[in-house]
Amino acid sequence: MRRLRQIPVRVLVPNVITLLALCAGLTGIRLAIEERYELALAAIVFAAVLDAVDGRVARMIKGTSRFGAELDSLADFVNFGVAPGLILYFWGLKPLGNIGWIAAMVFAICASLRLARFNVQIEDPDRPVWAGNFFTGIPAPAGAIAVLLPIYLYFLQVPVPPTLTLIYTFVIAGLMISRLPVLSGKKYGARVPPELVLPVILVAVCLIALLVSYPWYLLTAGTIVYLALLPLGWFSRKRYQEADAAALRTGRAAAVETGQAPSPVPSDDEGDARPARLN
């Protein structure tokens, strides 16, 4: 009988973080059923934080694995597709009857479609190098945080009609599966200059303090700013495409002068730019 190879602990650590995020998402569903919406939203935000951490931890300790990538994708579907949809349904869409349930289902389905498209596109060998600076459509964690905006406003004493919540849910679901290029922030690098270490730490501490002290103000403002900045991705990608086109024309002109065949420039058939799987 063949002896199974032992798995390094460093491979298990990011998977444990992913499972903790999954537990947070499932707990958010339970809290929504119990009408404890403040804690339900906190669970989704906590799951989003863990989702941002697990991949970085995996790369830092060299614990990436195919199993972890698939687990991360399944956890994202539950945490940022199913859980937000159900929270919205129990909070404000339920009075609309079947159409409210349809909206919750459409959001969860769009989250799954976006994740499935991502899983396919990451293996595309023809993507240009700069494609790593963009997502295709709103990423699932950002979509989950954004779609809960009506509940943030409710806690700020700003009433949102169920019909408006319904329309807004469909809009965010559509943005998740759209072809809109969304800046990923990866081009800014993973390292911080020495002179900016203390300011970055200070900003992070202030954000955490604001999130704990004034969660609804911060989440509302962050969501509105994020949605307002979405067009920047389109303009940024357009500049990259124009640069590629100019490089292609220059290469062809040089090839004509030298009598050599120009080397092809990768096309941008796929706008998804999320780098290799988180873990």
Side-chain angles (χ1 to χ4, degrees), residues 111-133:
S112 68
L113 291 175
R114 193 208 178 280
L115 291 168
R117 182 178 64 184
F118 165 72
N119 291 343
V120 173
Q121 289 182 345
I122 57 174
E123 298 178 357
D124 182 10
D126 299 324
R127 290 188 304 165
V129 176
W130 52 261
N133 298 331

Side-chain angles (χ1 to χ4, degrees), residues 107 138 147 165-177 227:
F107 180 80
I138 296 179
V147 80
T165 301
L166 177 77
I167 297 173
Y168 179 74
T169 302
F170 282 125
V171 169
I172 297 300
L175 288 174
M176 290 177 66
I177 61 173
L227 295 177

